[in-house]
Amino acid sequence: MFAEERRMKIIEIIKKGESVKVSGLTKRFNVSESTIRRDLVELEKSGKILRTHGGAVSKSINKLEDTFLEKQDKYAVEKDRIGRIAASQIEDGDTIIIDSGTTTYYISKYLKAKGITIITNSIVLTYELANREDIEVINTGGTVRINTKAQVGPITERTIKQFRVNKTFLGANGLSIKYGVTTPTLDEAVIKQAMIDATSQVYLLVDESKFSQVYSSVICSLDELDYIITNNERPEEEVEYYEKCGIKVLT
Amino acid sequence: MFAEERRMKIIEIIKKGESVKVSGLTKRFNVSESTIRRDLVELEKSGKILRTHGGAVSKSINKLEDTFLEKQDKYAVEKDRIGRIAASQIEDGDTIIIDSGTTTYYISKYLKAKGITIITNSIVLTYELANREDIEVINTGGTVRINTKAQVGPITERTIKQFRVNKTFLGANGLSIKYGVTTPTLDEAVIKQAMIDATSQVYLLVDESKFSQVYSSVICSLDELDYIITNNERPEEEVEYYEKCGIKVLT
DNA sequence: CTGACTATGATTGTTTATGATTGTATTTAA
DNA sequence: TTAAATACAATCATAAACAATCATAGTCAG
């Protein structure tokens, strides 16, 4: 591929409103960082892009970020932080499952690890990650639920059962000492169970509002959890109990 | 071979969206590098190509694999109209497959039929339809391709094979009398074939720019098509031929 | 035939694209 | 706030591609 071609393609990517990383581009085009930097310098000189530390973005319109989620969610800040912590647990080369839901969604903002494969049943997350050249995204498929944009049903379940992964990042509506992890709908509970079965380590992402809550469908008992990631306003007595059960609680 | 002839052929190659290398052309035409360079200098002078270090590319952006949004821009009006016609073919209670791609995407704007089920491998379409309470959306799942936001691979294929539907609305990059329906990537061709196998009626959605185009991977031959939906600027001679083959052409 | 003209090939010094390296700046995590 | 990690600019070396030039071999008009 010629330099001109490469630069055209870089522009294409950026014109879509996506940002690009130097590291991602080196992999994608299989050239050195120097070369990519020179490309970006050139493209910036001719006014086509705006360089940033680590890559480049479109000069015009800022992205369609700030989705509906972040504005109306009461615990957006907490979830953001939880997402960041969760992302920091992901290592290069991991194959992971990320559950649907608003909390888990925030992981995508902080994904840094290289060469990872993500399996998810979230349409929103898939849509978001579909632009990341450095991540392989596998969508489970399934029937789309209107409220949560999660995919559920037999297709989803069967796809998940095909995989064995390192880590699963799970969302839930309720976490209680007595009843474990729960959610309001059976469909989603079944899928979450399949996700747990497919993994070696289970991370549960819950903000403070989920503690001591119980919903009708049980996802799993506490002993299936390896980690709980939550925010600082966590209820200490409960947390102590969970840690006594052998669950590591990260904040 | 005369110089003029050689230059014509060089233009042809480049216009197809391919890049050419000086070294490649010397071999192909069995002439010296000097000669090829002189050709390229001439062609660039008359504005037909863009020289690069090592060869030349088309002046306009590489057409082989445009990105999603870019495709959306070109022929947007035509595609919108095509999408509306396609939507009008959908009846209450239908279960249909909608392929990924920019043209098929427009169907979503005009979906009126009640009680329909839509199976699709398009992340964008799924995302779009996820809010529609009156439509059941089943996403096929699969590995997400960055450029087209289509899902492909074995998961996608297997899911599609599970269904029998009334109608399939297919997109493609090339439609030609000689070679049938084609697209640039094998992965997507395989999925499209599965979609054809799962349906009783195949609708091909193509704007005028797709006529007489051929790409590397064959999706199907003409006799598998039941309908072609296109815009008004359709090439009449070709259309006549298709109708003679028993394909209904809607505009 | 001769001489001008053209397309081509061969030669050579120059330019370009690229990768590697190194010290500096910036960002991130503790 | 500080230390570590990451990204950066600047620079150099090299191989490939290039422009410029000259030489050769056809071609055609006179």
Side-chain angles (χ1 to χ4, degrees), chain A residues 67-120:
Chain A
T67 58
F68 61 106
L69 288 168
E70 309 187 30
K71 284 173 184 166
Q72 64 193 25
D73 195 328
K74 210 165 127 188
Y75 292 95
V77 179
E78 288 79 5
K79 287 178 177 175
D80 188 279
R81 187 171 161 67
I82 291 169
R84 197 167 64 209
I85 296 167
S88 73
Q89 299 291 308
I90 301 167
E91 296 163 80
D92 293 355
D94 271 353
T95 296
I96 62 175
I97 291 174
I98 302 183
D99 187 17
S100 54
T102 49
T103 313
T104 48
Y105 169 78
Y106 283 92
I107 297 177
S108 67
K109 284 178 66 176
Y110 297 102
L111 278 172
K112 299 249 170 51
K114 297 180 212 305
I116 60 177
T117 301
I118 295 178
I119 298 154
T120 182

Side-chain angles (χ1 to χ4, degrees), chain B residues 2-250:
Chain B
F2 301 116
E4 271 311 308
E5 213 179 327
R6 195 178 52 238
R7 290 175 188 178
M8 297 274 280
K9 294 203 173 183
I10 293 174
I11 292 177
E12 265 181 53
I13 298 171
I14 293 182
K15 277 281 156 68
K16 267 195 278 181
E18 295 170 37
S19 58
V20 294
K21 290 198 289 187
V22 172
S23 59
L25 293 174
T26 58
K27 265 183 240 158
R28 161 141 187 194
F29 296 114
N30 204 29
V31 293
S32 71
E33 298 202 337
S34 295
T35 300
I36 294 297
R37 290 214 180 87
R38 276 185 277 252
D39 287 344
L40 297 183
V41 168
E42 278 307 306
L43 294 174
E44 182 174 52
K45 216 186 287 175
S46 57
K48 299 195 176 75
I49 64 169
L50 185 68
R51 288 188 74 196
T52 65
H53 195 81
V57 297
S58 169
K59 265 180 111 177
S60 55
I61 301 167
N62 194 341
K63 122 181 186 188
L64 252 191
E65 177 106 35
D66 290 339
T67 57
F68 188 80
L69 284 177
E70 257 183 35
K71 276 192 199 160
Q72 214 165 24
D73 287 342
K74 268 180 267 174
Y75 297 102
V77 178
E78 288 80 2
K79 287 176 176 176
D80 189 278
R81 188 172 160 69
I82 292 170
R84 197 167 64 209
I85 297 168
S88 73
Q89 299 289 309
I90 301 167
E91 297 163 78
D92 292 355
D94 271 352
T95 296
I96 61 176
I97 291 175
I98 302 184
D99 187 16
S100 54
T102 49
T103 312
T104 48
Y105 169 79
Y106 282 92
I107 297 177
S108 67
K109 285 177 67 175
Y110 298 104
L111 280 172
K112 299 246 169 59
K114 295 180 215 305
I116 59 177
T117 301
I118 295 178
I119 298 154
T120 181
N121 71 325
S122 161
I123 287 295
V124 184
L125 194 59
T126 306
Y127 188 82
E128 184 77 20
L129 295 176
N131 293 315
R132 293 278 300 257
E133 300 184 359
D134 51 340
I135 297 174
E136 179 168 12
V137 183
I138 298 174
N139 186 274
T140 59
T143 305
V144 180
R145 292 203 64 224
I146 293 177
N147 288 335
T148 61
K149 266 72 174 172
Q151 292 163 108
V152 297
I155 294 170
T156 316
E157 195 178 350
R158 195 186 52 182
T159 306
I160 294 170
K161 282 186 172 160
Q162 281 210 320
F163 292 98
R164 290 296 311 166
V165 304
N166 303 106
K167 295 158 186 161
T168 284
F169 295 89
L170 216 60
N173 295 68
L175 172 61
S176 119
I177 292 178
K178 191 162 172 195
Y179 298 101
V181 189
T182 52
T183 199
T185 67
L186 178 62
D187 280 350
E188 295 201 29
V190 169
I191 297 306
K192 288 168 199 282
Q193 283 159 8
M195 290 175 168
I196 293 172
D197 290 342
T199 193
S200 357
Q201 292 194 301
V202 178
Y203 291 77
L204 181 70
L205 279 59
V206 282
D207 63 63
E208 56 185 282
S209 71
K210 311 290 171 58
F211 281 88
S212 306
Q213 300 291 307
V214 179
Y215 290 82
S216 59
S217 291
V218 176
I219 298 168
C220 67
S221 58
L222 295 176
D223 55 15
E224 306 223 48
L225 300 180
D226 297 294
Y227 293 87
I228 292 172
I229 303 181
T230 185
N231 57 310
N232 285 317
E233 271 51 66
R234 61 197 211 179
E236 286 305 333
E237 338 70 62
E238 281 187 64
V239 166
E240 264 175 45
Y241 180 88
Y242 295 130
E243 286 181 328
K244 214 171 290 173
C245 296
I247 304 172
K248 296 171 199 83
V249 181
L250 311 176

Side-chain angles (χ1 to χ4, degrees), chain A residues 8-16, chain B residues 61 65 67 70:
Chain A
M8 283 183 193
K9 295 202 173 184
I10 293 174
I11 292 177
E12 277 182 42
I13 298 170
I14 293 182
K15 276 279 167 66
K16 280 192 290 183
Chain B
I61 301 167
E65 177 106 35
T67 57
E70 257 183 35

